[in-house]
Amino acid sequence: MCGIAGIASYAPVQDSISLWSGIQQTLKKRGPDQDGIYRNTYTTLAHTRLSVVDLENGIQPMIFAEGDAEFVLVYNGELYNTAQLRTELEHRGHTFKGHSDTEVLLHSYMEWKSACVHRLNGIFAFAVWENHNRRLFIARDRIGVKPFFYTHKQEQFLFSSEIKGLLAHPLVEPKIDAFSIAELVLIGPGRTPGYGVFCGIEELPPAHCGYFDKENGLKLIQYWKMEDKPHTDSFPQTVETVRNLITDAITRQLVSDVPVGCFLSGGVDSSAISSVAGRYFREQGKQLHTFSVYYKDNAQHFQKSRFQPDSDDAFIGQMVGFLGSKHHSIVLETADLVDALEAAVDARDLPGMADIDASLLLFCKEVKNTVTVALSGECADEIFGGYPWYRDDEILMQNGFPWMQNTREGFLKPEIAEWVNASSYAQKRYEKTIERTHALAHCTPHERRMKEMVNLNIDWFMQTLLDRKDRMSMYNGLEVRVPFCDYRIVEYLYSVPWEMKNYRNREKGLLREALRGLLPDAVLWRKKSPYPKTHNPAYLAAVSDKLSEIIANPASPILQYIRKEALENLLKSENLIPWYGQLMTKPQTIAYFLQINYWLSKLFKIS
């Protein structure tokens, strides 16, 4: 993976090389191994590289010149059908210097131009400058795994993998308004698709691409979306197809010229990936490295709940024995979790999922000591129906985002709440997503509702998790791949009836049946448990003390926007409804407001 940034302009670009070296430096954690800058009269493209495939020949920006035509590529991501594309391009007369997917992507664009995106299987965000046409092409992968932020001001288009890259350019001021605060409080830690929270900053939506040039300005199109189709496969055929798609996606994503490992939580998703990866490594005479996160003293404080019925420890142990992997248990200290809340904001450029972010940040730092690439299980719950809100009829049928069942407007200062129409802020976004849901005309109301849930989860909840995974891992120079985000799996599952997905009346029943034989039965049929978090009361005490200090200081920037009384009530609350799904309960909600205050302090340069 890498960091990319650039500018394209109708008029000559006046930026200095030192300015772009500085912008490049903000993305250095994403690509610590190599960097490069391409400049001409109307554009500058910058790249920082995390070397994973073809270490010698994958250097960027990558340039291809032939006659009067010159194409320049900066690219962040991985292609998983590189071999197939390369073969087809060679048949069309293309020749290659190395075996990197970067070179294949550049030649794919040269051959098919914007239509190349329909042929790509992977996670990507990239830009191609056509010097001979003075136009810039941009694209982002179908699911939105890799980030692409931009700002478009009159004659100039500026982009970056992360918001911090944009803010390093004088064209972009770090400004916020009432809607920025509303987004953090009424939607956060999620984000409205395409909205960058800072004024004037947007994100290229998943499955979008387009051109920026003098003749047409910025023109974007959506090149892919989930569409319902008749599902004619029998249940056994569906099980076989799902199994084949999953094993193929995992196997494709194990290709690397640097060490690869797997996150292992003991849940079905990460265990399935580790099982396929373990077999792949054994066939090569190698041993798979697996990694699990633990929290100090968690065992003595763990309490069963509706969302977390059992601890992961025993299941991790079973999987390690089953896999024969070289396992790494990474134990996080409570104090380190608290301290890492600020670094997690630095990584995300926004307040995030509190210690859910911070723990992953610390975890990835340790994982990077052993491997450069890791595979993780995101996306399975969204497409197979694993979350509680797919199965709880009361939550399922409610009119609003199912992972947000709390009332948030009361945290905002009244003038802000009134300005942004807080009572309908989230509802309008929910309704817009529902309206976009595609379902066949003969769908039953329940089947349509399940497709609406898939859209809601993929467009919103999953994007928060993908943001988290990308920023926390890349902050440590670790590439994390997500096989369940293979668009072929998403496409196929969208049209599979809920009755099949709900096989044996179990969450992700279809997935479990498809994985039969790949996992021990105890792991295969265990009840879903979310990402592990600390249960140590010392964490709640620590973040509560910090928030109390902030509340007591009239100069705290958060008090300009958030009602002091609401924060005080949060500290006193005994039975707070989860802030965001099953992951963010009272300790994480308190920590989230700590992150907001820190983010505002950075924004206003308050020390």
Side-chain angles (χ1 to χ4, degrees):
M1 300 295 175
C2 308
I4 63 173
I7 189 170
S9 176
Y10 306 161
V13 175
Q14 304 296 325
D15 298 342
S16 66
I17 188 68
S18 61
L19 169 63
W20 278 94
S21 294
I23 293 172
Q24 192 176 54
Q25 194 61 36
T26 68
L27 302 174
K28 194 63 179 175
K29 287 181 179 291
R30 296 185 70 88
D33 298 330
Q34 294 172 338
D35 55 57
I37 294 176
Y38 169 89
R39 304 180 76 208
N40 71 14
T41 305
Y42 298 99
T43 190
T44 300
L45 302 177
H47 186 265
T48 62
R49 185 186 185 200
L50 177 65
S51 301
V52 172
V53 175
D54 197 355
L55 309 189
E56 294 183 1
N57 297 305
I59 297 173
Q60 299 184 49
M62 184 171 284
I63 305 170
F64 185 91
E66 187 174 59
D68 294 334
E70 182 179 70
F71 300 88
V72 188
L73 168 70
V74 285
Y75 158 53
N76 168 31
E78 297 285 343
L79 294 185
Y80 303 128
N81 62 336
T82 301
Q84 294 92 325
L85 287 171
R86 181 190 179 103
T87 298
E88 185 173 0
L89 288 164
E90 286 175 336
H91 287 158
R92 291 171 174 264
H94 293 256
T95 58
F96 297 89
K97 296 179 180 178
H99 65 274
S100 74
D101 57 338
T102 305
E103 190 177 12
V104 170
L105 176 58
L106 179 56
H107 281 257
S108 294
Y109 179 77
M110 290 159 50
E111 178 66 33
W112 297 298
K113 300 301 186 292
S114 63
C116 74
V117 293
H118 298 289
R119 297 172 180 264
L120 306 179
N121 179 0
I123 53 178
F124 54 81
F126 68 90
V128 179
W129 173 252
E130 295 183 13
N131 196 36
H132 48 293
N133 291 323
R134 281 173 49 184
R135 68 173 182 173
L136 184 76
F137 176 75
I138 60 174
R140 191 173 179 213
D141 68 75
R142 294 169 179 85
I143 309 300
V145 179
K146 292 286 100 183
F148 190 105
F149 292 94
Y150 70 90
T151 187
H152 177 212
K153 292 192 174 184
Q154 299 174 343
E155 297 183 341
Q156 294 178 307
F157 179 84
L158 181 67
F159 69 90
S160 176
S161 292
E162 296 181 4
I163 292 172
K164 60 175 64 69
L166 297 178
L167 296 178
H169 195 284
L171 187 69
V172 186
E173 295 182 60
K175 291 176 58 178
I176 62 171
D177 58 16
F179 290 98
S180 307
I181 300 300
E183 189 77 4
L184 297 181
V185 175
L186 303 177
I187 296 291
R191 197 156 41 80
T192 299
Y195 184 39
V197 181
F198 289 89
C199 296
I201 292 180
E202 298 177 74
E203 186 173 24
L204 183 65
H208 278 67
C209 66
Y211 284 100
F212 174 80
D213 60 28
K214 186 173 184 178
E215 183 178 349
N216 300 301
L218 178 64
K219 297 294 182 183
L220 302 176
I221 63 165
Q222 182 175 0
Y223 66 85
W224 178 87
K225 60 182 178 180
M226 292 185 295
E227 293 184 343
D228 194 14
K229 300 172 184 177
H231 187 75
T232 57
D233 289 352
S234 66
F235 183 71
Q237 289 171 328
T238 301
V239 169
E240 182 180 7
T241 299
V242 169
R243 184 183 178 100
N244 291 339
L245 283 171
I246 289 171
T247 54
D248 181 66
I250 296 168
T251 303
R252 286 173 182 265
Q253 298 190 28
L254 291 169
V255 175
S256 172
D257 292 337
V258 295
V260 178
C262 289
F263 292 174
L264 179 63
S265 70
V268 173
D269 311 332
S270 67
S271 296
I273 293 171
S274 298
S275 178
V276 175
R279 182 175 60 189
Y280 178 90
F281 275 77
R282 284 192 300 273
E283 290 172 352
Q284 296 185 343
K286 300 177 182 178
Q287 185 181 29
L288 174 68
H289 285 262
T290 52
F291 303 85
S292 299
V293 63
Y294 298 86
Y295 301 88
K296 187 177 181 182
D297 299 328
N298 232 29
Q300 69 188 71
H301 298 294
F302 177 81
Q303 292 182 344
K304 292 185 178 183
S305 69
R306 174 188 175 193
F307 295 129
Q308 200 146 13
D310 45 43
S311 177
D312 291 328
D313 298 11
F315 298 100
I316 292 171
Q318 285 190 51
M319 279 304 302
V320 170
F322 178 79
L323 295 167
S325 63
K326 174 65 175 176
H327 190 64
H328 307 260
S329 299
I330 297 169
V331 181
L332 304 182
E333 299 276 351
T334 300
D336 292 338
L337 270 181
V338 177
D339 291 343
L341 287 169
E342 294 184 354
V345 175
D346 296 339
R348 200 191 267 256
D349 294 320
L350 294 167
M353 299 184 78
D355 60 86
I356 310 301
D357 277 9
S359 62
L360 183 61
L361 186 83
L362 296 173
F363 179 56
C364 288
K365 181 179 180 181
E366 296 301 317
V367 173
K368 180 60 190 289
N369 292 330
T370 306
V371 299
T372 303
V373 176
L375 273 62
S376 183
E378 273 75 10
C379 195
D381 285 309
E382 286 80 2
I383 63 176
F384 284 97
Y387 292 124
W389 45 80
Y390 278 95
R391 310 178 59 76
D392 185 319
D393 287 341
E394 183 178 347
I395 301 175
L396 175 65
M397 301 313 294
Q398 78 171 15
N399 186 23
F401 292 117
W403 50 85
M404 294 195 316
Q405 291 163 52
N406 43 15
T407 301
R408 300 180 172 200
E409 298 96 287
F411 282 96
L412 292 173
K413 288 284 187 74
E415 59 271 24
I416 296 176
E418 182 179 0
W419 181 263
V420 301
N421 197 2
S423 60
S424 64
Y425 188 91
Q427 185 64 22
K428 286 181 178 178
R429 286 153 177 76
Y430 164 81
E431 291 172 355
K432 188 174 181 180
T433 306
I434 295 300
E435 291 169 3
R436 289 200 307 266
T437 298
H438 183 261
L440 293 174
H442 66 266
C443 255
T444 66
H446 182 267
E447 190 66 36
R448 178 178 176 84
R449 181 56 179 166
M450 301 317 293
K451 295 188 187 305
E452 291 173 351
M453 291 293 285
V454 171
N455 275 273
L456 287 167
N457 278 270
I458 288 182
D459 287 358
W460 291 84
F461 195 79
M462 193 177 78
Q463 295 305 315
T464 309
L465 299 181
L466 291 176
D467 275 1
R468 165 183 176 259
K469 185 71 68 177
D470 177 81
R471 305 310 186 277
M472 301 308 125
S473 60
M474 294 305 294
Y475 194 77
N476 291 287
L478 176 72
E479 175 184 313
V480 176
R481 299 173 178 176
V482 279
F484 285 106
C485 286
D486 187 307
Y487 81 93
R488 299 171 302 160
I489 303 174
V490 176
E491 272 186 346
Y492 183 76
L493 263 293
Y494 187 70
S495 296
V496 172
W498 175 250
E499 182 181 8
M500 289 188 181
K501 293 181 184 178
N502 197 38
Y503 176 65
R504 288 176 58 169
N505 199 30
R506 288 295 306 273
E507 72 275 359
K508 295 187 288 192
L510 171 59
L511 174 61
R512 296 174 193 269
E513 184 65 16
L515 297 174
R516 189 183 291 274
L518 290 176
L519 304 177
D521 281 350
V523 175
L524 182 65
W525 295 103
R526 70 171 290 202
K527 188 169 176 59
K528 174 182 166 50
S529 190
Y531 176 84
K533 62 184 178 183
T534 181
H535 295 271
N536 195 328
Y539 180 79
L540 174 59
V543 294
S544 296
D545 288 346
K546 284 183 171 290
L547 186 58
S548 295
E549 293 174 6
I550 289 170
I551 293 172
N553 181 2
S556 297
I558 196 172
L559 298 180
Q560 297 178 48
Y561 308 100
I562 306 298
R563 292 176 56 244
K564 180 180 179 180
E565 299 83 358
L567 296 177
E568 291 171 337
N569 290 337
L570 170 62
L571 290 173
K572 297 174 188 174
S573 173
E574 294 294 332
N575 296 304
L576 184 73
I577 297 173
W579 180 265
Y580 199 77
Q582 67 267 48
L583 293 176
M584 294 183 68
T585 55
K586 180 177 177 177
Q588 290 75 34
T589 307
I590 292 171
Y592 181 59
F593 282 103
L594 294 182
Q595 288 191 315
I596 291 176
N597 189 71
Y598 171 70
W599 180 74
L600 290 168
S601 298
K602 282 189 66 180
L603 188 65
F604 299 131
K605 294 181 171 58
I606 300 172
S607 59

